[in-house]
Amino acid sequence: MRADAQSRPVRADAQRNRARILAAAEEVFADGGPRASTEEVARRAGVAIGTVFRHFPTKTDLLRALMKQLLEQVTADAAALLAHGDTATALFEFFAQLVRRTAANRTVVSLLGAEGLDVPIAGPVTSLTDAVRELLARGQRAGAIRADVRLDEVMALLESLCQGALQRGWDEDLRERTLGIVFAGLRTPVSSRS
Amino acid sequence: MRADAQSRPVRADAQRNRARILAAAEEVFADGGPRASTEEVARRAGVAIGTVFRHFPTKTDLLRALMKQLLEQVTADAAALLAHGDTATALFEFFAQLVRRTAANRTVVSLLGAEGLDVPIAGPVTSLTDAVRELLARGQRAGAIRADVRLDEVMALLESLCQGALQRGWDEDLRERTLGIVFAGLRTPVSSRS
DNA sequence: GGACAAGATGAGTCTCCACTCATTATCGTC
DNA sequence: GACGATAATGAGTGGAGACTCATCTTGTCC
């Protein structure tokens, strides 16, 4: 494996460590949030702290790498639903999936507009937005989602519910019921409107 | 003004400073979040740092005092609506009011289940919850809100939307439209359900 | 299996921030 | 206006955590 045509290959131990660090960071930040220390990540990865900083020169870089990885997974979920899901309800399924994933992974908090630390992630967000746009359009074409619902509203709800799902005291049941209300608001009503 | 039957009055400068500190803290934490430094609060209050700590022995105490103050305002809003508002839509009005207030005041983030720091505020939350319970019950009795909506769901939505409203890029317009969707989900449908 | 560059190590630095305390200033009272 | 209690001051302390770097180790290539 060559990193570049005129450079040497990336050493095997370096690749291994990079992977270990990412995995450890996922766990550590999952419970503890982005305020958890880099030292803790190093400890859980079984690596010295200098090694973490060799791979990710800044804590923000590490967070960004995690974000990117998660966004890719989530975007893949969306793509799968676009390919195989029921057109009418694919958006709801995706919505529920994302919130569920977030609930299990505090780091995603910063997903669409970081909070405590600044974690710029412009690129990956775009593809997620694209996927949601398509999911929304299909639901609307199928008549399942109100025609006047806009993309930014869906993204805003997604963001809000992901944030909410992180709070203490949200169990799975409450999460599903709350999502149910939001979905009812998105769904095409038979007649009443205001 | 006597603090207690057998103690001396609270000195005028002390009262003044306490008020100044609270006001400054509101501003400072409003932009900067709860991670803003106590030193900054002191500076904006025009007071030495030791004075801040005399009034609020701990940063958490200061945050808690702010929370309490805000919860009292919000609970007062709810009480006003209970007394004079339109029964059917009072909950929606209150909901919108609270989210709006939050958008202008980052500190409220930690309102119903603190994030970064731990800011226990058991008592004041109870009275807020009570007010929302009553608002919800009235809306349901009036037939404006679905009968199967539960209090914890409303609180969860409130929490989520307040969190969401803090994100960058939420302007007033988006906020109102997003709330509109949630309200549609809470409203009694004329016929369709799923 | 030797040479050497890439990588790992972890004690140490630096900065930031919550919190303390000896000293000084101010208020309320007589 | 003097006196004692209360409060304000701000340099200082302690600890946490991001980041560095001189030194040692290991993988890769011939």
Side-chain angles (χ1 to χ4, degrees):
Chain A
M1 179 187 292
R2 300 225 151 236
D4 185 312
Q6 46 248 51
S7 75
R8 334 207 117 223
V10 175
R11 266 168 52 170
D13 56 347
Q15 285 178 259
R16 200 183 328 121
N17 281 337
R18 193 191 151 90
R20 272 190 196 158
I21 290 166
L22 272 174
E26 202 166 335
E27 282 178 41
V28 169
F29 292 133
D31 50 65
R35 288 163 46 106
S37 75
T38 312
E39 184 110 27
E40 177 63 28
V41 173
R43 202 177 308 127
R44 193 155 336 178
V47 139
I49 186 147
T51 304
V52 176
F53 281 100
R54 163 169 268 270
H55 287 276
F56 306 95
T58 273
K59 187 178 181 180
T60 302
D61 288 324
L62 177 54
L63 255 349
R64 182 161 32 216
L66 274 183
M67 295 289 74
K68 184 159 170 270
Q69 184 179 277
L70 276 154
L71 275 170
E72 280 163 4
Q73 290 169 10
V74 159
T75 305
D77 285 358
L81 283 169
L82 279 170
H84 309 298
D86 171 18
T87 295
T89 59
L91 178 65
F92 297 156
E93 253 173 77
F94 171 68
F95 206 122
Q97 242 173 57
L98 180 53
V99 173
R100 217 171 289 136
R101 212 191 263 275
T102 304
N105 194 322
R106 291 192 143 269
T107 309
V108 202
V109 186
S110 332
L111 234 192
L112 312 173
E115 41 138 33
L117 305 161
D118 283 330
V119 183
I121 35 164
V125 166
T126 306
S127 51
L128 173 61
T129 307
D130 286 343
V132 174
R133 178 181 298 116
E134 183 58 25
L135 249 9
L136 172 62
R138 289 208 195 170
Q140 289 178 319
R141 258 184 266 123
I145 297 175
R146 275 167 46 186
D148 62 346
V149 170
R150 296 201 225 154
L151 178 61
D152 61 351
E153 294 159 10
V154 175
M155 294 305 285
L157 286 168
L158 214 36
E159 242 177 79
S160 297
L161 274 290
C162 284
Q163 295 270 7
L166 294 172
Q167 293 319 100
R168 318 184 213 297
W170 276 51
D171 58 9
E172 200 185 326
D173 182 51
L174 176 56
R175 195 170 67 225
E176 301 302 322
R177 286 186 284 124
T178 305
L179 281 175
I181 293 174
V182 173
F183 293 165
L186 290 169
R187 216 171 265 133
T188 305
V190 168
S191 48
S192 85
R193 281 299 307 283
S194 76
Chain B
M1 181 191 290
R2 301 225 150 237
D4 185 313
Q6 46 247 49
S7 75
R8 334 209 117 221
V10 174
R11 265 169 52 170
D13 55 346
Q15 285 177 256
R16 200 182 329 119
N17 281 337
R18 193 192 149 91
R20 273 191 196 156
I21 290 166
L22 273 175
E26 202 166 335
E27 282 179 41
V28 170
F29 292 132
D31 51 65
R35 288 163 47 105
S37 74
T38 312
E39 184 109 27
E40 177 63 28
V41 173
R43 201 175 309 126
R44 195 159 331 182
V47 139
I49 187 146
T51 305
V52 176
F53 281 99
R54 161 168 269 269
H55 286 278
F56 306 95
T58 271
K59 187 178 181 178
T60 302
D61 289 323
L62 177 55
L63 254 350
R64 181 160 34 216
L66 273 183
M67 297 286 77
K68 186 161 167 268
Q69 185 180 274
L70 277 154
L71 276 170
E72 279 163 5
Q73 289 169 12
V74 160
T75 306
D77 285 357
L81 283 170
L82 279 170
H84 309 300
D86 171 17
T87 296
T89 60
L91 178 65
F92 296 155
E93 255 172 75
F94 172 69
F95 206 122
Q97 243 172 57
L98 179 54
V99 173
R100 219 171 288 138
R101 212 191 262 275
T102 304
N105 194 321
R106 290 193 145 268
T107 311
V108 202
V109 185
S110 332
L111 233 193
L112 311 173
E115 41 139 35
L117 306 162
D118 283 330
V119 183
I121 35 163
V125 166
T126 306
S127 51
L128 173 62
T129 306
D130 287 343
V132 175
R133 178 182 296 115
E134 182 57 25
L135 249 10
L136 172 62
R138 288 209 196 170
Q140 290 178 318
R141 257 185 267 126
I145 297 174
R146 276 166 44 187
D148 61 348
V149 170
R150 296 201 225 156
L151 179 61
D152 61 351
E153 294 158 12
V154 175
M155 295 304 285
L157 286 169
L158 215 36
E159 242 176 80
S160 297
L161 273 289
C162 284
Q163 296 270 7
L166 294 172
Q167 292 321 98
R168 317 185 215 294
W170 278 52
D171 58 9
E172 201 185 324
D173 182 50
L174 176 57
R175 195 170 67 226
E176 301 303 322
R177 287 186 283 125
T178 306
L179 282 175
I181 294 174
V182 173
F183 293 164
L186 290 168
R187 215 171 265 130
T188 306
V190 170
S191 47
S192 85
R193 281 298 309 282
S194 77

